[in-house]
Each structure stands twice: as structure tokens, then as C-alpha cells.
Amino acid sequence: MKLSVIGTGYVGLVSGTCFAEMGNTVYCVDTDEKKIESLKKGKIPIYEPGLDAMVIDNVKNGGLNFTVDIKEALEKTSIIFIAVGTPMGEDGSADLKYVLQVAESIGTYMKHELIVVNKSTVPVGTADLVKTTIQAKLDERKSNLQFYIVSNPEFLKEGAAIEDCMKPDRVIVGTDNVKALEKMKELYAPFTVNHERFVAMDIRSAEMTKYAANAMLATKISFMNEMANICEKLGADINSVRVGIGSDKRIGYSFIYPGCGYGGSCFPKDVQALIKTAKDNEYEPKLISAVEEVNNNQKKVLVEKIIKRFGEDLSNKTFAVWGLAFKPGTDDMRDAPSITIIKELIKRKAKVIAHDPKAAEQAKTYYLKDLENLDYVESKYDAVNNADALILVTEWKEFRSPDFDELKTRLKENIIFDGRNQYNSQKLKELGFEYYQIGSA
Ligand code: NAD
């Protein structure tokens, strides 16, 4: 099939590449000329394991094309995926300006019948908005061209995006058009050969499914963080409690790790957007509002422990921070807990030396740009040189089994604040560390 993906970010680039990998001809479109130029040269602007090789292969065999010209893409293809960003607006709602820009371009330039598929995460009702926006442009042109709207939310996880795209747990497709539904089934068939994973529904339910999934996952995290905070007060250990409850099949082990809060490009903004949508429709969403509040507080829990240990004034203190990305396996720092933690430390006049295997460039260029008293180093051990304490924020694999003797020779004081409960408390105490984690005394 011939299809276009508009928006070449984490979702657009990965899904476009996976569609090409299955033998389709794909045009990936982006307004960011630099991004498109570097992609044409085989330079991948994001870190996603396995993506480089797949992009290069599919560009070579002609299956994957990059362009800034949406007109060209609309002319050459008949299925158009919208995968642009839907960042948080000032009032917490999802900002739809990029989605609607694309809809206007489609209505202005389309030359034949199209299936328009929305992959961006958008509030319930956005499909109607996209439809009326395209139709308004067609009416201006006095055109009778037909188009069909589909909602196909994306569930990939950064860091495992290729695997998620090639072998999705489920493919959610919302549409009221039989022809469009058949085309989508055909397009996704190679991804679901093992067993049926295609779930068809109405458009509004498909849009809502994405928000419900992210709100549920965020709820699991905030729930565990609340349990962790209660454990600390009571002298219980959340690590034991986690294993104890996870063994119940109704609960399960996934997504019940305590930590220093969730971040990323999805959970914070999607939870906020769902709260806003609910309120706009005269429903007070008490549970998910609390999920968000718990998370905002959780991002400060490590800083509170540090203040309790060192006092409010952190001048003359140096902290090594391991991990900047919002989770391992990605360079994405959107809403990462590291941002809150580092800013809170620097606000109290501390010096911070940070190390992340992939995200340092993002930090320097955008998220922690121009912050004084913040340096970056290439090696995790160099970060701890003469530091008053090590703070572990992102659980990259390379932090799981460090050489603790090496840490002891480099740290000024043998103190570790662990925001992801990576180490065994007893063992660290025996090694002579003062060790703080989440939800355990
Ligand atoms: P992103 O910011 O990485 O990429 C968006 C891209 O769209 C950018 O390259 C931008 O230049 C481009 N763009 C903006 N306006 C455009 C236009 N008019 N024409 C062409 N290109 C345009 O965003 P992302 O992380 O890929 O997310 C995209 C959507 O998918 C969001 O709605 C997000 O919530 C959702 N989503 C993201 C993830 C994830 O893990 N990142 C997972 C599932 C769903």
C-alpha cells in the first residue's frame, strides 16, 4: 500500500518505518526541514534502539521516503496518518494546533479519495473537528472529493518502540466507514499474523481508549508511590509489599514499581488533558486529579530526603545525578523527574554533575539549558568524583551493578539517594553506604 505519515517524531518515524518494513511505500512528512534533511542522509534525530538500521535499509530499498512537501505525499498516497505532537496547552488541554494544521493542508491539497487516520493522542471529539476542518477547505474549493476518518491511537513505548509496533498487543481502530475499516485490516494484517489483535470500535471509543489506558497506568504508578510513602511512615518495606501484591494475578507485577514519579511525553499531558475534558463536560474527575497531584509531589520526594540529610542550604554541596531521561532506553526528557530534582537542588545552591547514556544533549539544548552549577560528564564514575552524594534518577541498566568500591573511592561521603530502588539496602549498609530509597526505612 502507499501511505503517508505526517509528523516524523517518535511515533511518526517509528510507525512509518515499520509500515515500510512490511513492504508498504511510505512518505514521512515533517515541517522541520533540518530533521528531514538529516533523515535523508540516514541520520536519525532520536535515540530508539534498532531504529537506525531499519530506517537506512528501507530508505535504500525505496520503501521509506522523507519530504517536507505534504502536497507530494497527498498526491502519491491514499492513506494519510496524522502523527504530529499534541502538547499540553496552557489550560492543561491537548493543544490541537498541529493536528488542525495538517487537516487544513489535507483539505487544501488532496486530489483524490483519502483515508485520514489519526494516530496522535487527541481528546474525544477531535475526529469530528478534523472532519469539519478538511470539509471546510474542500467546500472553499467547491470540491466533491471524499475522505474517511479513522482513529488509530498509538500505544508504542519509547525504548521498545520497534518491538511494540512490529508486534502490537492490540491495534485499536475506530471508524464508521466499512471501506476504511477493511483497508486498515489489510494494512495491519502482517503485524497480527500470530493471533488476532485488531479491535474495531466507534471513533469516540477509540479516542477514549488511549486516554483510559494511560490514565490506568499512571494510576498504578501513583498508587504504588502512595503506598511507598505510607510504608516509610510505618516502618514497612515497599519492595517486599510489591512482591507480595504482585503475585496476585488480579494485580500483576507490571507497573507497580515505586519511584520518584512518572514523566515522559504521554502520562503527564494525557492525564491533564483527560482531567480537562472531564471538567469541560461537567464531570469532576477526583481519582485522576489525585493521580496527578501524587505524581507532582513524588518528583520532590528525593529532594526532601536530601534536605532532611543535608539541610535547606545546599551551597558547598555537590551531587552526582545518574539519569536524565524520563525512563531508560530513550533520550526523551519531556516532563522527566530529573528536571524537577536538578532545578530544586540548584535553587538551593547545590552543584550538580549529571550523567546519562543518551539524554545529555537534550538536557543541554532544551530542558536544563543555561542552568548554572550544572555540568555533564561522559562516565558515570566521573560524575561522582568528590560528590557529597549520588542520586539515581533513571534506572538505566548500566547503573544496576556499579562497582561500589570504585564509588567509595570517588565519593566524598558514601551516600546514595536511589529514586528507583535499584540496590539491596542490607548489602549497601554492609558495604558502608548510607543508602536512601523510596518507601523503605
Ligand atoms: P514528537 O514531538 O516527537 O513529533 C511530532 C512531529 O510532528 C515533530 O517532528 C514536528 O516537527 C512535527 N509536526 C508538527 N506540526 C507538523 C505539521 N503541520 N506537518 C508536519 N509535521 C509536523 O511527538 P511524538 O512523541 O511522536 O508524539 C506524537 C503523538 O503521538 C502525540 O499526540 C503523542 O501524545 C502520541 N504518542 C506518543 C507516544 C510516545 O511515546 N512518544 C506514544 C504514543 C502516542
Side-chain angles (χ1 to χ4, degrees):
M1 286 189 210
K2 290 188 173 162
L3 56 101
S4 299
V5 182
I6 318 294
T8 312
Y10 287 87
V11 166
L13 181 57
V14 171
S15 42
T17 305
C18 290
F19 284 132
E21 182 77 8
M22 290 299 188
N24 300 290
T25 303
V26 180
Y27 287 81
C28 281
V29 182
D30 207 288
T31 42
D32 185 336
E33 289 181 20
K34 262 191 177 158
K35 193 181 259 191
I36 292 298
E37 272 320 301
S38 72
L39 279 163
K40 279 182 176 170
K41 290 180 194 143
K43 277 179 75 186
I44 316 301
I46 53 169
Y47 173 68
E48 184 58 49
L51 185 61
D52 304 40
M54 249 169 110
V55 170
I56 291 165
D57 274 3
N58 284 288
V59 169
K60 258 193 207 147
N61 69 26
L64 190 58
N65 305 275
F66 295 105
T67 178
V68 286
D69 186 2
I70 193 168
K71 274 193 253 178
E72 181 194 359
L74 291 171
E75 252 174 57
K76 291 184 172 161
T77 64
S78 55
I79 305 179
I80 315 296
F81 280 86
I82 303 177
V84 294
T86 47
M88 199 190 299
E90 274 176 19
D91 59 357
S93 62
D95 186 343
L96 295 177
K97 69 169 176 275
Y98 303 115
V99 171
L100 296 180
Q101 264 170 19
V102 176
E104 283 195 7
S105 300
I106 293 173
T108 308
Y109 300 121
M110 65 186 277
K111 288 204 169 137
H112 51 249
E113 189 176 284
L114 290 180
I115 296 175
V116 177
V117 189
N118 188 33
K119 224 176 210 326
S120 299
T121 303
V122 290
V124 174
T126 303
D128 295 337
L129 217 52
V130 168
K131 192 173 180 176
T132 48
T133 306
I134 296 175
Q135 192 58 54
K137 286 290 168 193
L138 286 174
D139 291 346
E140 276 176 27
R141 291 166 56 192
K142 301 196 184 346
S143 165
N144 292 325
L145 285 173
Q146 296 292 306
F147 63 97
Y148 312 104
I149 301 281
V150 174
S151 165
N152 171 219
E154 181 52 59
F155 294 93
L156 63 77
K157 302 182 286 298
E158 287 174 22
I162 303 279
E163 173 83 3
D164 288 345
C165 251
M166 295 300 282
K167 293 181 192 157
D169 289 338
R170 74 299 209 191
V171 175
I172 303 288
V173 171
T175 183
D176 52 12
N177 182 274
V178 179
K179 203 159 129 187
L181 183 64
E182 287 313 310
K183 272 278 173 216
M184 294 298 286
K185 275 189 181 157
E186 204 183 316
L187 178 65
Y188 275 110
F191 297 90
T192 59
V193 278
N194 178 270
H195 65 266
E196 190 52 87
R197 296 181 183 127
F198 193 93
V199 185
M201 57 181 77
D202 66 275
I203 292 181
R204 284 181 168 247
S205 304
E207 290 173 329
M208 183 65 186
T209 299
K210 175 67 190 175
Y211 282 98
N214 277 356
M216 169 67 100
L217 294 171
T219 303
K220 282 185 98 171
I221 298 173
S222 278
F223 174 83
M224 277 314 274
N225 285 336
E226 187 147 278
M227 291 303 117
N229 297 339
I230 298 172
C231 277
E232 266 181 39
K233 298 274 179 207
L234 302 178
D237 180 353
I238 192 69
N239 301 303
S240 303
V241 173
R242 179 182 68 77
V243 177
I245 64 170
S247 54
D248 184 330
K249 285 201 187 80
R250 294 168 303 175
I251 297 173
Y253 288 108
S254 60
F255 261 78
I256 58 167
Y257 286 89
C260 51
Y262 62 73
S265 62
C266 294
F267 291 173
K269 85 170 168 63
D270 293 349
V271 169
Q272 282 248 14
L274 186 56
I275 292 169
K276 180 74 172 56
T277 307
K279 285 184 173 171
D280 286 349
N281 288 278
E282 286 155 34
Y283 181 82
E284 189 57 42
K286 292 197 186 74
L287 181 59
I288 48 172
S289 298
V291 166
E292 198 205 1
E293 199 186 332
V294 167
N295 191 58
N296 289 338
N297 292 336
Q298 198 67 18
K299 286 182 178 177
K300 295 188 182 147
V301 160
L302 278 185
V303 178
E304 283 159 15
K305 288 176 192 287
I306 292 166
I307 291 169
K308 201 167 164 198
R309 173 63 178 76
F310 290 103
E312 263 291 338
D313 179 8
L314 298 175
S315 50
N316 303 319
K317 297 280 175 244
T318 300
F319 296 101
V321 168
W322 279 5
L324 296 165
F326 84 92
K327 67 172 182 179
T330 182
D331 59 349
D332 197 341
M333 273 191 69
R334 287 178 276 190
D335 269 314
S338 64
I339 301 172
T340 309
I341 292 166
I342 290 175
K343 285 187 174 169
E344 289 290 328
L345 294 174
I346 288 178
K347 199 165 87 186
R348 292 173 175 81
K349 303 200 168 48
K351 186 170 172 22
V352 174
I353 313 287
H355 165 74
D356 187 285
K358 298 290 173 196
E361 267 322 298
Q362 292 283 321
K364 284 181 212 170
T365 319
Y366 305 107
Y367 300 96
L368 298 168
K369 195 174 168 220
D370 300 333
L371 269 190
E372 279 180 22
N373 283 334
L374 171 61
D375 281 329
Y376 302 89
V377 287
E378 296 276 330
S379 139
K380 62 177 182 272
Y381 292 115
D382 286 348
V384 299
N385 283 343
N386 232 6
D388 291 274
L390 163 64
I391 307 168
L392 192 155
V393 182
T394 315
E395 67 277 34
W396 286 93
K397 281 196 191 105
E398 69 170 67
F399 303 150
R400 278 193 200 160
S401 298
D403 180 339
F404 289 107
D405 291 332
E406 178 82 28
L407 287 181
K408 274 163 73 174
T409 62
R410 294 184 182 235
L411 278 164
K412 198 193 287 175
E413 292 195 71
N414 297 334
I415 305 176
I416 299 178
F417 294 91
D418 181 352
R420 301 292 170 189
N421 292 10
Q422 294 295 286
Y423 310 129
N424 179 295
S425 291
Q426 191 54 38
K427 188 184 156 202
L428 258 75
K429 273 171 200 156
E430 283 164 21
L431 287 171
F433 282 91
E434 208 177 304
Y435 177 57
Y436 300 88
Q437 48 171 230
I438 308 284
S440 133

